[in-house]
Every structure is written in structure tokens, then in C-alpha cells.
């Protein structure tokens, strides 16, 4: 129905294997969710709680109404957390944050001057393209 594709499941399993996360090391509990979702949420245990015993990392996921989807999402979040703890600076999340930080950083004086020089150059090229006939050209 609305489950997770086998490719995504396999990709997550591969990531977990490379980080050394085994299913035997994970304690999984299913809890009844709260909030939106109506009767389904109130009757079915769709909230997934995971605890990775070696690291003590805990994750709780109740984003979706489907238990299978929440199980996948919880495992993905747990893997992300453990990866960030193990790899530290090299983790994907840290690289993304560092990239954004670099993008938002103020430009140096020399870089600003270079950008403005390029703009002036392009402006001169565009001015040369325009032709407005004057009184002598008629």
C-alpha cells in the first residue's frame, strides 16, 4: 500500500551495516500515538520507540499514521544520530551545515571588489549593445 520501497529499505540496511548497527542491538517498542489520525491512531500502536543499546541513543517516531513507515523513519533517524556521533565533523549533516555557514559568510573586501568589477564589465558590454539613433543617424 503506502510502505517503503525495497530500494530505500536496502539502502538503510546498508548504511546501518557500514556503521555497525545490528538489529540485535536495537530495542523496539510500539506505543499508541496521540494527536491527529483519528480512530486509526487511537486503536493501533503506530508510534515506534527505538533504543540502540551500545550507544544508548533513543528515538521516538510518530510522524505518520502507518506503523511500517514510522519503523523505517525511526531507524533512519537513529542511523543519522549514530552517524553524527561516530563520524562527527565528517557526517553528512555536519557537512550540510558547514556548507550553509560558508554560503552565509560575509564576503571579503577583495571578493566584493571582484564581483563589482565583473558587474561593471557586464554593464559596459550591455551598454554597447543598445543603439539609439540620434539626430545625425537619420
Amino acid at each position: 500500500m503506502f510502505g517503503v520501497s525495497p530500494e530505500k529499505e536496502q539502502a538503510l540496511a546498508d548504511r546501518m551495516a557500514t556503521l555497525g548497527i545490528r538489529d540485535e542491538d536495537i530495542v523496539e517498542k510500539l506505543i499508541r500515538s496521540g494527536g491527529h489520525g483519528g480512530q486509526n491512531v487511537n486503536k493501533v500502536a503506530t508510534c515506534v520507540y527505538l533504543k540502540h543499546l551500545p550507544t544508548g541513543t533513543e528515538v521516538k517516531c510518530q510522524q505518520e499514521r502507518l506503523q511500517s513507515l514510522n519503523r523505517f523513519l525511526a531507524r533512519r533517524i537513529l542511523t543519522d544520530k549514530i552517524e553524527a556521533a561516530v563520524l562527527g565533523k565528517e557526517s553528512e549533516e555536519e557537512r550540510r551545515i558547514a556548507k550553509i555557514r560558508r554560503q552565509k559568510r560575509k564576503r571579503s573586501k577583495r571578493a566584493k571588489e571582484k564581483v563589482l568589477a565583473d558587474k561593471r564589465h557586464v554593464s559596459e558590454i550591455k551598454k554597447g549593445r543598445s543603439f539609439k539613433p540620434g539626430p545625425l543617424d537619420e
Side-chain angles (χ1 to χ4, degrees), residues 52-69:
H52 186 242
L53 296 175
T55 58
T57 307
E58 297 178 355
V59 168
K60 189 174 170 184
C61 181
Q62 61 179 25
Q63 292 175 11
E64 302 294 329
R65 288 176 59 185
L66 295 171
Q67 186 186 70
S68 59
L69 199 52

Side-chain angles (χ1 to χ4, degrees), residues 40-117:
N40 177 63
V41 162
N42 297 329
K43 287 172 68 177
V44 183
T46 55
C47 179
V48 178
Y49 165 84
L50 297 178
K51 181 174 183 178
H52 186 242
L53 296 175
T55 58
T57 307
E58 297 178 355
V59 168
K60 189 174 170 184
C61 181
Q62 61 179 25
Q63 292 175 11
E64 302 294 329
R65 288 176 59 185
L66 295 171
Q67 186 186 70
S68 59
L69 199 52
N70 280 333
R71 285 184 80 215
F72 172 78
L73 292 172
R75 287 183 190 289
R76 194 167 70 182
I77 294 166
L78 182 74
T79 306
D80 290 342
K81 277 188 169 186
I82 293 172
E83 182 182 47
V86 170
L87 300 179
K89 283 259 182 193
E90 291 119 35
S91 76
E92 210 171 297
E93 183 69 12
E94 290 291 330
R95 280 190 303 227
R96 187 183 67 79
I97 290 169
K99 180 182 177 185
I100 291 169
R101 196 173 287 137
R102 281 193 307 273
Q103 287 172 343
K104 289 185 174 182
R105 192 168 50 199
K106 200 174 176 182
R107 282 197 176 110
S108 68
K109 193 172 183 180
R110 187 173 178 193
K112 279 185 204 171
E113 288 170 357
K114 190 176 178 184
V115 168
L116 289 174

Side-chain angles (χ1 to χ4, degrees), residues 20-39:
I21 304 169
R22 300 179 321 179
D23 280 336
E24 301 88 55
D25 296 337
I26 297 173
V27 173
E28 180 176 330
K29 293 180 185 173
L30 302 172
I31 309 161
R32 259 192 248 156
S33 298
H36 301 293
Q39 193 173 10

